[in-house]
Amino acid sequence: MLSFPIASVREVIARGLTDAQANGGFRNPHYGLQPGKDETPGIWLVGDHGIYLMSNGKLPEGARPMVLYADECNPRSNDDWFTVKRSTYGGDDGIDFLDAEQIEAMMAASPDATHLCIAFTPDTMQIFMVERP
């Protein structure tokens, strides 16, 4: 299971919206293979060098998106990040689009939650909120 502090998830979503407004919309996570798909407010769950959420607003040339590493899979703070990545997201790199409206509704429905969590099974990805002390 991967977890992300909710306050930081909100910051990533907000940054994507700000970038989109300033730079003409949202980026396509499908490398141009599916034009128009998922070019809406959201965040990308990225499995790469660690696992992180990334803002999806278009950026000016050379700018970098806001990134939020999973608490359990941050190469800067967890020497075992690669094992965590392989056991959760898998060995291949990839991007999964998460709709901002749906994520925000889940956060609003769980006012005491502190973390957005993502769990993987062989066939599904489950997203839920938890409260941690």
Side-chain angles (χ1 to χ4, degrees):
M1 179 178 74
L2 303 171
S3 58
F4 303 87
I6 286 179
S8 298
V9 172
R10 285 189 171 109
E11 290 176 20
V12 173
I13 292 171
R15 171 68 183 273
L17 294 170
T18 300
D19 289 340
Q21 184 176 21
N23 300 296
F26 297 93
R27 293 178 290 147
N28 182 307
H30 307 287
Y31 302 105
L33 298 175
Q34 298 178 1
K37 181 170 175 45
D38 297 331
E39 293 175 7
T40 59
I43 48 181
W44 296 348
L45 175 67
V46 179
D48 185 20
H49 187 77
I51 301 174
Y52 50 89
L53 298 176
M54 183 168 69
S55 61
N56 76 327
K58 286 186 179 176
L59 301 166
E61 186 70 34
R64 299 180 64 88
M66 183 175 213
V67 168
L68 171 64
Y69 279 93
D71 290 343
E72 301 78 9
C73 198
N74 183 341
R76 295 183 203 126
S77 61
N78 182 353
D79 291 337
D80 201 31
W81 70 268
F82 188 71
T83 301
V84 173
K85 180 189 179 286
R86 287 185 59 200
S87 67
T88 56
Y89 197 86
D92 292 335
D93 294 349
I95 299 172
D96 291 290
F97 177 79
L98 307 177
D99 183 88
E101 189 174 301
Q102 292 175 351
I103 296 297
E104 288 175 331
M106 290 176 71
M107 291 187 297
S110 305
D112 295 329
T114 59
H115 288 75
L116 177 146
C117 294
I118 301 174
F120 298 89
T121 69
D123 300 320
T124 65
M125 177 174 65
Q126 301 169 347
I127 303 171
F128 53 95
M129 306 296 150
V130 299
E131 181 180 357
R132 292 195 178 151

